[in-house]
Amino acid sequence: MFKVKKGMKALVVGLGRSGVAVTKLLCKKGVKVTITDELNKSDLKDSLEALEGYDFDSELGKHVLKTFCEQDFIVVSPGVKLNIKPLQQAEKSKIPILSEIEVASQFISEPIIAITGTNGKTTTSTMIAEMIQASGKTVFLGGNIGIPLSDYATRREKSDWVVAEVSSFQLDTTLSFHPHIAVFLNVAPDHLDRYPAYDDYVQSKMRLKDNMTEEDYVVVNLRDQKLMSLLSNAKPKMLCFTSDSLAKTPSHYVEKFQGVYLDSPTTMHLKASRWKEHVFQVGEVKLRGVHNKENMMAAMCAAKLAGVSNEAIQKVFNNFKPLPHRMEFVARKNQVTFYNDSKGTNVHSLLRSLESFDEPIILIAGGRDKGEDYSSLALPIRKHVKNLILIGEAKEKINRAIGDYSETFLVGTFEEAIYLAYQKSRSGDVILLSPGCASQDMFKNYEERGDYYKKIIQRF
């Protein structure tokens, strides 16, 4: 297996947050680093300022093919597509292409809990970290959630546990990344503008288990048949979680069930041979939707494997608040409730958000299409949505797929969508921003989109 060593030559492609962090780490480890980015020096001002005092070469404004082929290894940032010509040429030349989490993990000796899935990663990762903290242990929370693992690898102070949210983009170029506990929340079509097919996306997620052994654990959503079929024969020991009761669970799973299931809408039942059975009370939690119950159960399983007490888990359940842009309550005005689910950037996430409400919904959806099929939303739209307001580049495509299943409006601006939604609302309605699309046609990212939504609502 490839190992990073002092004196090697490395090219860091992409100077975003993870690119900056891994450059610092490699420089500290005595690697001769060159950075490259298609943006020019003025566009990368903040990143370059963060690297002041570090010794590296740079090629900015374009990628130079020759440079790619002169390295011992290449570190590619998650946002860089792997099909660009210089990377393809480097791969043909047998030069290892690594992700930032792969490099960082080679310098981390503490046990890693890695969380992946199409949706729910950040909520689950945050909850696991809070549970470990509540038990009196120290924890680092990072990865795709914001703080690169390379930041942790350079720190002098170490934690008892490392909790890492990992995306498919990060897993694409891992070789030896080895978590002790891997949490697989769900898989559904996403990022089909990057992957040739859905199965390629799924196989990227599966790389998370490749280096795990019989001494490790996977935590898996029992209701996700795709995950179960791919992980049932994996080397690590398995714990499952399910939002079904055991009475609704297939009998061949019930006989050997190890994990946690939803006993009722207000209770979760821990049932595993290594622990005493326990029922957790979740009737007063502040998270809406069955999908969040699944996130909670997944977090509970991982936390128990990390040695967290039932009392610490229950304390986090009682106090945990929805994260920004994830089914976030914004305001209630004239008996109309506003929710911000700007992080809902795919069809699966939008579907789960709709299922979280019994109230009539006025839905604002659309943005930049990621190659998904919206037709699966037809019946949920008919059941839950009284008005569908479509925006962005994908509005015509979405309208063709599901526009006949609700009173639908296509509008030109984000502001117009929000004002129209409020105009159409009546007492008891929910106005929900859950785009089911990426944000980059109108905004820098989903955070900017959600923040602007909240800003406009405050004007009402």
Side-chain angles (χ1 to χ4, degrees):
M1 196 71 74
F2 180 83
K3 291 292 183 183
V4 175
K5 296 177 183 176
K6 181 178 180 180
M8 284 183 166
K9 292 192 299 180
L11 181 68
V12 175
V13 185
L15 208 55
R17 188 179 297 171
S18 65
V20 169
V22 78
T23 297
K24 290 180 178 179
L25 173 60
L26 291 173
C27 288
K28 288 183 177 181
K29 298 300 179 181
V31 175
K32 299 172 184 176
V33 179
T34 301
I35 60 173
T36 180
D37 198 300
E38 289 184 319
L39 297 177
N40 57 41
K41 191 173 182 179
S42 60
D43 294 325
L44 295 166
K45 182 174 177 289
D46 291 344
S47 296
L48 293 172
E49 285 180 355
L51 288 171
E52 283 186 8
Y54 289 87
D55 184 20
F56 58 89
D57 295 323
S58 62
E59 292 178 351
L60 306 177
K62 63 178 181 179
H63 295 316
V64 180
L65 181 60
K66 183 172 180 286
T67 305
F68 279 69
C69 297
E70 294 176 339
Q71 308 300 317
D72 292 310
F73 66 96
I74 295 171
V75 186
V76 60
S77 296
V80 177
K81 292 187 176 181
L82 300 178
N83 62 358
I84 62 173
K85 185 177 178 180
L87 284 174
Q88 289 180 325
Q89 189 60 49
E91 189 173 23
K92 286 179 182 178
S93 301
K94 307 296 184 185
I95 297 172
I97 299 172
L98 313 176
S99 65
E100 178 267 334
I101 64 169
E102 168 66 28
V103 174
S105 68
Q106 294 190 16
F107 300 99
I108 295 174
S109 57
E110 293 73 36
I112 296 173
I113 303 174
I115 300 90
T116 198
T118 302
N119 297 303
K121 295 185 294 296
T122 299
T123 295
T124 306
S125 300
T126 304
M127 199 175 292
I128 292 169
E130 290 191 8
M131 289 172 178
I132 293 173
Q133 280 186 320
S135 73
K137 297 177 183 177
T138 56
V139 61
F140 170 83
L141 174 63
N144 192 54
I145 199 170
I147 304 175
L149 289 190
S150 293
D151 276 5
Y152 177 77
T154 59
R155 294 182 182 182
R156 290 185 178 180
E157 287 188 12
K158 299 301 181 182
S159 300
D160 296 316
W161 287 89
V162 171
V163 174
E165 175 187 328
V166 292
S167 69
S168 60
F169 294 178
Q170 292 170 311
L171 290 167
D172 280 335
T173 46
T174 53
L175 295 177
S176 61
F177 185 68
H178 180 181
H180 177 51
I181 301 167
V183 179
F184 293 87
L185 293 169
N186 46 64
V187 284
D190 198 9
H191 301 301
L192 299 182
D193 52 342
R194 170 155 170 158
Y195 294 96
Y198 174 45
D199 280 345
D200 297 289
Y201 166 67
V202 173
Q203 286 306 316
S204 177
K205 295 285 190 188
M206 290 300 106
R207 293 175 70 93
L208 184 57
K209 68 171 174 55
D210 283 355
N211 298 297
M212 299 180 75
T213 71
E214 294 85 352
E215 302 301 314
D216 301 317
Y217 296 88
V218 291
V219 176
V220 189
N221 187 340
L222 186 61
R223 295 184 74 242
D224 194 308
Q225 295 181 5
K226 187 85 169 178
L227 282 179
M228 290 301 295
S229 66
L230 290 168
L231 292 167
S232 289
N233 295 318
K235 288 182 181 178
K237 293 183 278 290
M238 179 183 288
L239 286 183
C240 294
F241 62 93
T242 176
S243 53
D244 286 333
S245 66
L246 284 192
K248 295 181 180 179
T249 301
S251 58
H252 59 282
Y253 288 132
V254 173
E255 294 169 6
K256 53 183 179 180
F257 184 84
Q258 299 285 307
V260 59
Y261 59 92
L262 200 60
D263 234 356
S264 72
T266 62
T267 56
M268 291 177 182
H269 194 131
L270 176 67
K271 183 179 184 293
S273 56
R274 61 184 293 140
W275 304 296
K276 184 178 179 181
E277 287 194 38
H278 187 80
V279 175
F280 292 86
Q281 302 299 320
V282 296
E284 301 300 318
V285 297
K286 302 174 181 68
L287 300 176
R288 291 190 72 120
V290 172
H291 63 293
N292 271 319
K293 293 288 200 312
E294 292 175 345
N295 295 338
M296 293 167 64
M297 289 187 285
M300 180 202 304
C301 288
K304 288 298 294 182
L305 290 170
V308 177
S309 68
N310 295 337
E311 292 74 21
I313 292 171
Q314 185 68 63
K315 180 180 178 181
V316 171
F317 282 167
N318 294 345
N319 298 321
F320 195 86
K321 296 179 180 178
L323 301 178
H325 314 298
R326 295 161 175 85
M327 290 292 288
E328 175 190 13
F329 170 80
V330 178
R332 185 173 289 108
K333 295 178 181 289
N334 296 321
Q335 304 304 309
V336 175
T337 310
F338 294 81
Y339 280 87
N340 166 30
D341 192 43
S342 183
K343 184 59 176 69
T345 59
N346 55 61
V347 169
H348 180 258
S349 178
L350 171 52
L351 174 62
R352 303 307 295 270
S353 298
L354 294 178
E355 292 172 343
S356 301
F357 294 96
D358 295 322
E359 304 92 330
I361 297 171
I362 300 173
L363 174 65
I364 301 172
R368 175 158 292 172
D369 179 50
K370 296 196 287 183
E372 291 194 62
D373 180 3
Y374 299 96
S375 61
S376 62
L377 291 168
L379 295 181
I381 291 289
R382 173 180 281 171
K383 180 179 179 181
H384 296 283
V385 177
K386 62 178 274 189
N387 298 119
L388 174 61
I389 302 174
L390 299 175
I391 57 173
E393 294 175 355
K395 63 184 177 185
E396 298 286 353
K397 179 180 177 181
I398 299 172
N399 184 49
R400 288 193 296 272
I402 59 174
D404 292 339
Y405 293 87
S406 176
E407 185 180 16
T408 301
F409 304 87
L410 281 67
V411 300
T413 68
F414 192 67
E415 297 90 339
E416 185 182 354
I418 300 170
Y419 281 105
L420 178 61
Y422 194 42
Q423 178 186 331
K424 290 287 181 181
S425 67
R426 298 293 181 267
S427 177
D429 287 350
V430 165
I431 296 178
L432 171 66
L433 171 67
S434 189
C437 294
S439 59
Q440 286 81 4
D441 58 336
M442 292 181 172
F443 300 94
K444 181 180 178 182
N445 49 43
Y446 73 84
E447 293 99 334
E448 185 178 80
R449 177 170 61 188
D451 288 339
Y452 192 44
Y453 175 71
K454 291 188 285 186
K455 182 179 179 180
I456 293 175
I457 290 167
Q458 298 311 318
R459 300 174 187 169
F460 296 153

